[in-house]
Amino acid sequence: MKIYIAAPVPDRGWAQDIQKLCETHGFEVVSSWVTDEETGYEKGGLAQKALRDMDELQVADTLIAYCVNPGDSGGGMHSEIGAALALGKRVPRRT
């Protein structure tokens, strides 16, 4: 199973922990932003990264999102959740 991890960039450490856990259990994590050290703030960088993220999300089976701060904009995370739902991906929820 291919997994896309969505989280605010400041929570990259959480995403890296989840990536390790997923890989330990035999899942493939396709979200390269988790280990990408570049910020993307250089000219045109954010748009290119957003397109890359959408391409990676399309090949994923499931999206795991880190949504713990209700007031946090989450960067592109909320867009990724919406795209995953629109594409019919599994988006497990914990209430």
Side-chain angles (χ1 to χ4, degrees):
M1 177 182 294
K2 295 181 181 179
I3 295 176
Y4 186 91
I5 300 170
V9 173
D11 293 311
R12 187 186 312 252
W14 173 88
Q16 291 170 342
D17 291 344
I18 294 301
Q19 178 178 7
K20 290 175 192 167
L21 182 65
C22 290
E23 291 172 347
T24 297
H25 290 280
F27 299 106
E28 178 184 355
V29 175
V30 296
S31 43
S32 61
W33 77 269
V34 174
T35 56
D36 187 356
E37 295 298 323
E38 294 181 21
T39 63
Y41 291 110
E42 60 278 354
K43 184 178 179 182
L46 289 177
Q48 291 173 341
K49 286 181 183 289
L51 291 172
R52 176 203 63 194
D53 293 347
M54 287 297 118
D55 288 343
E56 293 171 351
L57 178 57
Q58 287 185 34
V59 300
D61 302 301
T62 300
L63 177 138
I64 296 174
Y66 185 63
C67 305
V68 295
N69 301 317
D72 187 1
S73 69
M77 177 186 61
H78 294 106
S79 297
E80 293 162 352
I81 293 169
L85 292 169
L87 291 168
K89 307 296 181 179
R90 292 183 61 226
V91 182
R93 296 177 236 358
R94 180 176 168 211
T95 56

